[in-house]
Amino acid sequence: TTTTTTTTTTTTDEKASSSSRSESSSSWSESSSNDPDYHIVFSTSCTPQQNWESMVFFYHAMKVNQPGSITRIVSGCTGKQMQELLIWHTEHIQNAMSSGFRLHFTPDYSRVRLSEGKHPYKYMNKPFGLKHWMEHGLGMSMNIAMGVERKENENKKSLRDDIVMLMDPDMI
C-alpha cells in the first residue's frame, strides 16, 4: 500500500515556527511560545458526503476563529480522488479560509481485520488514520510519547504538551 502525505500536512518544523496558527485568531497573539499547540483532527473517507461535511466543518472553524491547526485525515482515496481533493482543498479551503486547515492522506485501513475476525472492520480508519497522522504529520513516535525524544528533535518544541482533539466531520 502506498502512503501519500501532501505538502498540506503539518511538519514538526512548521509546528515549531507556529505556522499552524491562524493569522486571524486574536487569542494566538496573546499566547506565549510555551503554551501548547492545539490540533483538531477529524477522520473521513473520500465520499461526496464526507467532502461536504468536511467543508462545513472547516467553514465553521473559520467563522469562530478556531485557534490551532485543523487537519482532515482522509483514508482510502484513489490516486485520482487524492489529486482532485488536494486541488479543491487548496483553492477553496486553504487559500479562501486558512492555511492552518490541512489534509493528511492515509491508506485505507477499513480492510483491517480484528484479531481472528473473518470480516474486515470498517471503522479502523479513525484509530489507524490518527496514528498515521501523529507519526507522519506531527513526527511523533513512541519515543516522544514516552518522554524519550529523538536526538533530531532536541532543538524543536516538545510535542508532549500539545493538545489533540479528535472529532467527527459532522460535529459542528
Side-chain angles (χ1 to χ4, degrees), residues 14-30:
E14 287 173 327
K15 196 175 106 15
S17 68
S18 73
S19 68
S20 65
R21 296 177 179 162
S22 172
E23 302 292 332
S24 63
S25 176
S26 61
S27 63
W28 280 115
S29 61
E30 300 165 6

Side-chain angles (χ1 to χ4, degrees), residues 39-103:
H39 306 279
I40 295 176
V41 296
F42 60 100
S43 176
T44 71
S45 63
C46 286
T47 64
Q49 176 68 27
Q50 299 258 281
N51 290 339
W52 171 249
E53 289 175 359
S54 298
M55 192 271 306
V56 173
F57 190 97
F58 283 124
Y59 173 79
H60 283 277
M62 176 194 71
K63 291 298 283 182
V64 299
N65 290 322
Q66 178 64 46
S69 64
I70 301 178
T71 303
R72 175 184 177 185
I73 300 171
V74 192
S75 301
C77 299
T78 65
K80 181 180 179 188
Q81 287 174 318
M82 285 174 34
Q83 287 291 39
E84 290 171 353
L85 184 55
L86 181 58
I87 291 167
W88 194 92
H89 180 85
T90 300
E91 181 179 341
H92 298 285
I93 304 296
Q94 279 194 316
N95 293 345
M97 295 184 193
S98 172
S99 62
F101 296 171
R102 299 180 167 85
L103 291 175

Side-chain angles (χ1 to χ4, degrees), residues 146-163:
M146 301 304 288
V148 183
E149 301 208 19
R150 296 178 303 205
K151 190 171 187 173
E152 67 262 20
N153 288 333
E154 286 179 1
N155 295 322
K156 297 178 184 173
K157 181 178 175 279
S158 174
L159 296 170
R160 291 185 64 200
D161 293 330
D162 283 9
I163 297 169

Side-chain angles (χ1 to χ4, degrees), residues 109-129:
Y109 293 111
S110 68
R111 296 184 178 131
V112 171
R113 297 180 191 281
L114 294 176
S115 62
E116 298 186 32
K118 295 180 181 177
H119 303 289
Y121 189 63
K122 69 180 183 177
Y123 302 107
M124 295 305 249
N125 277 331
K126 184 181 279 185
F128 282 101

